[in-house]
Amino acid sequence: MTETQGLHIAVVGATGAVGQQMISTLEQRNLPIKKIIFLSSARSAGTKLTFKGEEIEVQEAKPESFEGIDIALFSAGGSVSKELAPEAVKRGAIVVDNTSAFRMDENVPLVVPEVNEADLKQHNGIIANPNCSTIQMVVALEPIRETYGLSKIVVSTYQAVSGAGAAAINELKEQARDLLDDKEIEPKILPVKGDEKHYQIAFNVIPQIDKFQDNGYTFEEMKMINETKKIMHMNDLPVAATCVRLPVVTGHSESVYIEVEKEGVSAHQIKDLMKTAPGVVLEDEPKQQIYPTPASSVGKNDVFVGRIRKDLDEDRGFHLWVVSDNLLKGAAWNSVQIAESLLKLGLVTVK
Amino acid sequence: MTETQGLHIAVVGATGAVGQQMISTLEQRNLPIKKIIFLSSARSAGTKLTFKGEEIEVQEAKPESFEGIDIALFSAGGSVSKELAPEAVKRGAIVVDNTSAFRMDENVPLVVPEVNEADLKQHNGIIANPNCSTIQMVVALEPIRETYGLSKIVVSTYQAVSGAGAAAINELKEQARDLLDDKEIEPKILPVKGDEKHYQIAFNVIPQIDKFQDNGYTFEEMKMINETKKIMHMNDLPVAATCVRLPVVTGHSESVYIEVEKEGVSAHQIKDLMKTAPGVVLEDEPKQQIYPTPASSVGKNDVFVGRIRKDLDEDRGFHLWVVSDNLLKGAAWNSVQIAESLLKLGLVTVK
């Protein structure tokens, strides 16, 4: 199609918020693509999308859709992945799955290329893309872990509604307009579409992302805790998370407190690490009021880090402010990056 | 005026966001008031306000305005307090000051009645009202400190724009409307009116409240750190803060990580403490999705606490979500409450 030699790619969930970003990321990058197919539920099948100027009709995702596919990028919800990812693997595809379906499966590598690209070599057909809020944090922390060791993480998140899909974005915008016009609102989607209660998100803050677990933590918090340990290969690393939804469309922010193992490290040394860290852009000049914000991170693949400062009491303690586009590095870009890594490592070959 | 016997009260900064809340709080409470005067800058003088149905003209605040005043509630900015609070004291008034002008002065008690009411006895004419984000946190933590000891606080805030005044509220609303209409915006107020750069606040997050200090922390963060130690009489308590401004009109939220001194404490025991803590309302039923949000705290004097859970790794670690109306308990109500405490303790007498 676009190359005479190249990969056969499938995008599953092509019409969704992340699927759309996957398609535009694939258009911008140099992965050699010979053929690309867009798959979705029966409901969205028939939609016409373009790829590099060519119109492509979205097809209903079925087991046989994956015949001849080299890499299938899944972002159509956990139940679709559970049903169809094994079918795709059976037909010879490598699946990069952006849902939580397989992340904690010990036979499935959970990969952020800047952190644990080598884990791809252990794949058995399925590779999991971590949760958006986990990805940006580990990209920022990995160079610190590598150089000074990590002994504690306490993170509070400031998460955008696009992580909850297109309906949540619409809800935020409609609520904001209605509240500005002094109209009544009736929350229907957030915090979790399938949960019992819904709360105002415009001009408000909801300390719940995903459903509550029996231990009082939300599933989103447990994802950050467990995925961070798995990606960093540190099962005993103390990680704590409080995940909060904000009236922001796109761009997750995180207030991260860490303790390093080494004593006597300075904030300057942490900043120096960030300057050369893969995937990281340091934006940290307090005197010029330079720090990352969600609005300035939208549309970019990088993880932006600022507000780096040493704790005033704990010699091994540091604070960081980490921001990234949750649809890109948090989802679509990390998935495409995994596909690029598979090619680079020779784990998939161009025919 | 409203009582035959009662106090003479002055409200300085009567036309501001906090001043207005002070007036309505004084209307609702039972403090015996014989005479009340409203003071402001020359610019706002002449404005007519009502108090318990009676129209009162705002006068320009001058040293002689405080003749005969028993209690003067100041909320007109630090420079006004620095100039006029000593003049008021010279004329026999007790000043309750809601600015940062005197908070760290060792001769000035910094008071949250639920925590350190007795400190009022040491006053020398001026009593400082703490920063809004500090007040709600210490109200929630004091019962824990008292019962189990406190050895560490790490807080990340989610602060509303009303803390930056009426112009910031207008900026948020106008920006939100313009962005919804796809219009260009030009930020002019936030994060700090008098600072060099201004950033979008609608549908965004700004990790700067007040100006940066030389140590890389903002003044707001240093206020939380230093004021908490002073109010709790714990100069050596490790306290760390990251203060963040959100597109919320009113209601500050805080993600608070603490470590207690005692081992083996359960989340259930912390919840039990909150049930009877003065000034606190426990809203913590994860299975019913019950937790505090800013929208549900507006207009209430209480501090709302939820999401209480034990850290999964640190036996002495706990996480709490603390929300309060920043204009009420964070400012106006705490000031009026201090006036009530002064009367209760016999530090001011009704003539």
Side-chain angles (χ1 to χ4, degrees):
Chain A
M1 187 169 121
T2 57
E3 312 260 350
T4 49
Q5 280 207 317
L7 299 167
H8 290 210
I9 303 281
V11 177
V12 188
T15 59
V18 172
Q20 294 285 300
Q21 294 290 338
M22 282 176 170
I23 293 167
S24 72
T25 301
L26 286 166
E27 282 180 314
Q28 291 155 30
R29 302 289 306 180
N30 295 319
L31 199 67
I33 299 176
K34 192 171 174 190
K35 187 182 171 192
I36 191 163
I37 59 169
F38 297 154
L39 304 173
S40 73
S41 63
R43 191 170 46 84
S44 298
T47 307
K48 281 173 179 133
L49 300 174
T50 58
F51 184 76
K52 296 189 176 177
E54 193 178 330
E55 194 173 78
I56 299 176
E57 187 171 308
V58 178
Q59 305 161 46
E60 184 183 347
K62 293 178 182 173
E64 51 273 27
S65 310
F66 299 95
E67 294 289 351
I69 294 296
D70 297 305
I71 298 176
L73 305 175
F74 274 69
S75 190
S79 56
V80 174
S81 292
K82 275 181 191 155
E83 187 194 332
L84 290 178
E87 297 290 343
V89 172
K90 209 184 286 176
R91 287 164 178 81
I94 299 177
V95 168
V96 182
D97 182 35
N98 189 42
T99 76
S100 61
F102 302 104
R103 285 181 190 149
M104 296 311 297
D105 185 325
E106 57 185 23
N107 295 312
V108 172
L110 181 66
V111 177
V112 178
E114 291 87 345
V115 181
N116 63 334
E117 188 180 49
D119 286 357
L120 291 172
K121 293 173 191 161
Q122 268 76 54
H123 86 82
N124 297 300
I126 300 176
I127 294 143
N129 194 70
N131 186 47
C132 46
S133 47
T134 310
I135 294 175
Q136 65 185 68
M137 183 170 81
V138 297
V139 167
L141 297 188
E142 175 62 11
I144 301 172
R145 186 202 64 76
E146 212 171 28
T147 312
Y148 301 119
L150 257 187
S151 56
K152 189 180 185 76
I153 302 174
V154 179
V155 57
S156 296
T157 71
Y158 300 68
Q159 295 183 233
V161 298
S162 57
I169 299 175
N170 290 338
E171 176 164 68
L172 167 59
K173 290 182 176 176
E174 282 172 20
Q175 268 184 17
R177 202 180 280 280
D178 286 347
L179 289 169
L180 288 168
D181 292 341
D182 287 321
K183 288 185 192 160
E184 294 267 309
I185 57 154
E186 193 195 338
K188 287 177 183 168
I189 308 283
L190 290 164
V192 182
K193 197 179 171 192
D195 215 340
E196 297 202 357
K197 288 181 187 156
H198 300 105
Y199 294 109
Q200 174 186 329
I201 184 63
F203 307 109
N204 199 22
V205 171
I206 306 177
Q208 181 193 353
I209 299 183
D210 217 322
K211 292 198 175 184
F212 280 99
Q213 311 296 288
D214 287 339
N215 64 0
Y217 287 74
T218 61
F219 188 42
E220 183 83 357
E221 289 159 356
M222 292 314 299
K223 283 185 242 175
M224 286 196 83
I225 292 168
N226 293 326
E227 293 178 15
T228 299
K229 296 180 194 207
K230 178 169 176 176
I231 296 164
M232 289 190 158
H233 299 283
M234 290 183 81
N235 283 332
D236 296 329
L237 177 65
V239 183
T242 300
C243 292
V244 181
R245 190 74 77 186
L246 302 192
V248 169
V249 177
T250 301
H252 285 356
S253 309
E254 296 174 348
S255 170
V256 187
Y257 170 71
I258 56 167
E259 289 175 6
V260 299
E261 282 177 358
K262 192 169 155 67
E263 292 184 357
V265 176
S266 69
H268 191 80
Q269 287 174 299
I270 303 286
K271 288 183 198 182
D272 273 349
L273 277 182
M274 291 297 112
K275 283 179 193 163
T276 54
V280 170
V281 173
L282 179 68
E283 291 187 337
D284 196 354
E285 296 290 345
K287 287 196 176 151
Q288 284 88 55
Q289 290 179 265
I290 290 173
Y291 38 70
T293 72
S296 64
S297 78
V298 171
K300 298 170 186 165
N301 284 342
D302 309 284
V303 173
F304 299 89
V305 182
R307 301 287 337 264
I308 297 171
R309 56 214 194 279
K310 185 159 175 143
D311 194 83
L312 298 175
D313 301 291
E314 170 58 55
D315 172 61
R316 299 178 300 104
F318 293 89
H319 303 269
L320 302 89
W321 178 250
V322 180
V323 182
S324 194
D325 184 322
N326 52 300
L327 298 179
L328 292 177
K329 184 56 182 168
W333 164 231
N334 197 68
S335 290
V336 172
Q337 204 181 3
I338 287 171
E340 292 184 1
S341 293
L342 287 169
L343 190 68
K344 188 181 82 179
L345 296 175
L347 297 169
V348 67
T349 46
V350 174
K351 282 161 282 191
Chain B
M1 187 169 127
T2 57
E3 312 261 349
T4 49
Q5 281 205 316
L7 299 167
H8 290 211
I9 303 280
V11 177
V12 187
T15 59
V18 173
Q20 294 285 300
Q21 294 291 337
M22 281 175 172
I23 293 167
S24 73
T25 302
L26 286 167
E27 283 180 312
Q28 291 157 29
R29 302 290 304 181
N30 296 320
L31 199 67
I33 300 176
K34 192 171 172 191
K35 187 182 170 192
I36 190 162
I37 59 169
F38 297 155
L39 304 173
S40 73
S41 63
R43 192 170 48 82
S44 298
T47 307
K48 280 172 181 133
L49 300 174
T50 58
F51 184 76
K52 295 189 177 177
E54 193 178 332
E55 194 174 78
I56 299 177
E57 188 171 308
V58 179
Q59 306 161 44
E60 184 183 348
K62 292 178 181 173
E64 52 273 26
S65 310
F66 299 95
E67 295 290 352
I69 293 296
D70 298 306
I71 298 176
L73 305 175
F74 273 70
S75 190
S79 56
V80 173
S81 291
K82 275 181 191 156
E83 187 194 332
L84 291 178
E87 297 291 343
V89 172
K90 210 184 285 176
R91 286 165 177 82
I94 299 177
V95 168
V96 181
D97 182 37
N98 189 41
T99 77
S100 61
F102 302 103
R103 285 180 190 149
M104 296 312 296
D105 186 326
E106 56 186 25
N107 295 311
V108 172
L110 181 67
V111 177
V112 178
E114 290 88 346
V115 181
N116 63 334
E117 189 180 49
D119 287 357
L120 290 172
K121 294 172 190 161
Q122 269 75 55
H123 87 82
N124 297 301
I126 300 176
I127 294 144
N129 194 70
N131 186 47
C132 46
S133 48
T134 310
I135 295 176
Q136 66 184 67
M137 184 171 79
V138 297
V139 167
L141 298 188
E142 174 63 11
I144 302 172
R145 185 202 65 74
E146 212 171 27
T147 311
Y148 300 120
L150 257 187
S151 56
K152 190 181 185 76
I153 302 174
V154 179
V155 57
S156 296
T157 71
Y158 300 68
Q159 294 182 233
V161 299
S162 57
I169 299 175
N170 289 338
E171 176 163 67
L172 167 59
K173 290 182 177 176
E174 282 173 19
Q175 268 185 17
R177 202 180 282 278
D178 286 347
L179 290 168
L180 288 168
D181 291 341
D182 287 322
K183 287 184 192 162
E184 294 266 311
I185 57 155
E186 193 196 338
K188 286 177 183 168
I189 308 282
L190 289 164
V192 183
K193 197 179 171 192
D195 215 341
E196 297 202 358
K197 289 180 186 156
H198 299 105
Y199 294 109
Q200 175 186 330
I201 183 64
F203 306 109
N204 199 23
V205 171
I206 306 178
Q208 181 193 353
I209 299 184
D210 218 322
K211 292 198 174 183
F212 280 100
Q213 311 296 288
D214 288 339
N215 65 359
Y217 287 75
T218 61
F219 188 42
E220 183 83 358
E221 289 159 358
M222 293 312 300
K223 283 184 243 176
M224 286 197 82
I225 293 168
N226 292 325
E227 293 178 15
T228 299
K229 296 180 194 206
K230 179 169 175 175
I231 296 165
M232 288 191 158
H233 299 282
M234 291 182 81
N235 282 333
D236 297 329
L237 177 65
V239 183
T242 299
C243 291
V244 181
R245 189 75 77 188
L246 301 192
V248 168
V249 176
T250 300
H252 285 356
S253 309
E254 296 174 347
S255 169
V256 187
Y257 170 70
I258 57 166
E259 290 174 8
V260 298
E261 283 177 357
K262 192 170 156 64
E263 293 183 357
V265 177
S266 70
H268 191 79
Q269 287 174 298
I270 302 286
K271 288 183 199 183
D272 272 348
L273 276 182
M274 291 298 112
K275 282 179 193 163
T276 54
V280 170
V281 173
L282 179 68
E283 292 188 338
D284 196 356
E285 295 291 345
K287 288 198 174 149
Q288 283 88 55
Q289 290 179 267
I290 291 173
Y291 38 69
T293 73
S296 64
S297 77
V298 171
K300 296 170 186 165
N301 285 341
D302 309 284
V303 172
F304 299 89
V305 183
R307 300 288 337 263
I308 297 171
R309 56 214 195 280
K310 185 159 175 144
D311 194 84
L312 298 175
D313 300 291
E314 170 58 56
D315 171 62
R316 298 179 301 104
F318 293 90
H319 303 270
L320 303 90
W321 178 251
V322 180
V323 181
S324 195
D325 183 321
N326 52 300
L327 299 179
L328 291 178
K329 184 54 183 168
W333 163 231
N334 198 68
S335 292
V336 172
Q337 203 180 4
I338 287 171
E340 293 184 0
S341 293
L342 287 168
L343 190 67
K344 187 180 81 177
L345 297 174
L347 296 168
V348 66
T349 45
V350 173
K351 282 162 282 191

